[in-house]
Amino acid sequence: MTEPIRCREVRLPGVVPRWEIPGWRERFGVAAGITGRGDEPGPGFDLGLWTGEPVGQVSTRWRELLRAGPGFGGAVLSHQVHGTAVAWHQGASEGWTIRAGLDGHATGAAGLLLLVTVADCVPVYLVDPARLNLALIHAGWRGVAGGILAAGVRLMVEAGGSSPEDIVMHCGVAISGPCYEVAGEVASACGKLADPGTKLHLDLRHRLADQAAVLGLGEVTVSAHCTASQPADFFSHRRSGGADGRQVAYLGRPVAGSTAVPL
């Protein structure tokens, strides 16, 4: 397959450490980015709801994040399970909604902020500027192997009326291939041929780009950032041996004049 176009998210000013995909606000009218570790001491800007951090501290950080992005009356996230389930959300319900058992969200509504938590897995951003549909997917190796990208695209087509060739995809901040060594069985499940029992490096973003080409998506880019090799910027589950926090990827089309999301 053709080497995907690399794109480096740009850090925004402000108290909330966050990086956004360059040009997407101007081209598509969406907020699309990810939080990071930040400069605060100790655990950093950890937004993990299930990582063992004190609930009060995590809730304070969530409030800071959601206040940093006015234009959204509601936000939706889930307790992710490394599966392939993606849900379509009809409208922007007020407040903060947590769904169980989902690894992706899609909508055609303005004012709803889609969220997934990551710490090495790939946040996949999908936007259809023709139909104004959006999807945000959490893709670890199990999701890549199971076809979660195809599930997200299919939902945008069936529920939102999108055409694959109109969909723009970005594979965001995640662990890079040189830092992600896996068993041959894992690589094979993700579409990279390997002998059982071997070890090799797997680039999940490149696997997703290959899948996007098969699905006929119109434009594909991949992030140049690596969670594992940038410890000052991002959390990494693998680098920390499971002890690190979580960053949150976000995607949404803001509504002018709406308030920030109440937590």
Side-chain angles (χ1 to χ4, degrees):
M1 293 289 183
T2 304
E3 184 77 10
I5 299 170
R6 290 164 66 85
C7 172
R8 186 176 291 273
E9 291 87 342
V10 178
R11 183 166 180 176
L12 301 182
V15 296
V16 176
R18 57 193 176 114
W19 284 253
E20 289 205 346
I21 306 169
W24 276 39
R25 282 186 181 268
E26 295 77 13
R27 292 178 63 194
F28 310 130
V30 300
I34 190 168
T35 64
R37 182 180 295 277
D39 303 318
E40 68 178 67
F45 202 80
D46 179 10
L47 292 168
L49 297 173
W50 296 277
T51 56
E53 269 286 285
V55 173
Q57 295 178 22
V58 174
S59 296
T60 297
R61 296 183 199 121
W62 272 96
R63 291 189 183 95
E64 290 175 353
L65 167 64
L66 298 173
R67 287 170 182 162
F72 298 98
V76 61
L77 69 155
S78 65
H79 187 188
Q80 295 152 191
V81 294
H82 292 271
T84 59
V86 183
W88 181 267
H89 304 280
Q90 291 288 355
S93 57
E94 291 295 319
W96 190 31
T97 301
I98 301 178
R99 296 279 301 275
L102 296 175
D103 281 274
H105 308 280
T107 189
L112 178 64
L113 192 63
L114 310 179
L115 303 163
V116 297
T117 57
V118 288
D120 279 337
C121 295
V122 185
V124 182
Y125 307 78
L126 301 170
V127 58
D128 170 10
R131 289 279 186 167
L132 301 179
N133 294 325
L134 308 172
L136 182 62
I137 293 168
H138 163 263
W141 77 261
R142 290 178 179 84
V144 173
I148 191 170
L149 175 59
V153 170
R154 182 168 58 249
L155 189 60
M156 292 177 72
V157 171
E158 294 176 354
S162 293
S163 297
E165 63 268 20
D166 292 329
I167 296 174
V168 178
M169 179 177 100
H170 177 69
C171 297
V173 174
I175 194 167
S176 63
C179 293
Y180 190 45
E181 186 180 62
V182 300
E185 292 84 349
V186 170
S188 295
C190 293
K192 183 174 181 177
L193 295 179
D195 293 328
T198 60
K199 294 282 188 179
L200 72 163
H201 291 93
L202 177 66
D203 194 317
L204 291 176
R205 292 181 289 206
H206 285 204
R207 296 293 97 200
L208 287 160
D210 288 347
Q211 292 179 2
V214 173
L215 292 167
L217 301 195
E219 179 183 323
V220 177
T221 58
V222 302
S223 175
H225 289 292
C226 171
T227 49
S229 64
Q230 295 177 238
D233 294 327
F234 303 111
F235 298 107
S236 170
H237 180 82
R238 174 159 290 215
R239 185 191 63 236
S240 68
D244 230 342
R246 298 291 185 273
Q247 45 253 350
V248 168
Y250 57 88
L251 175 64
R253 183 160 52 92
V255 173
S258 64
T259 60
V261 181
L263 199 60

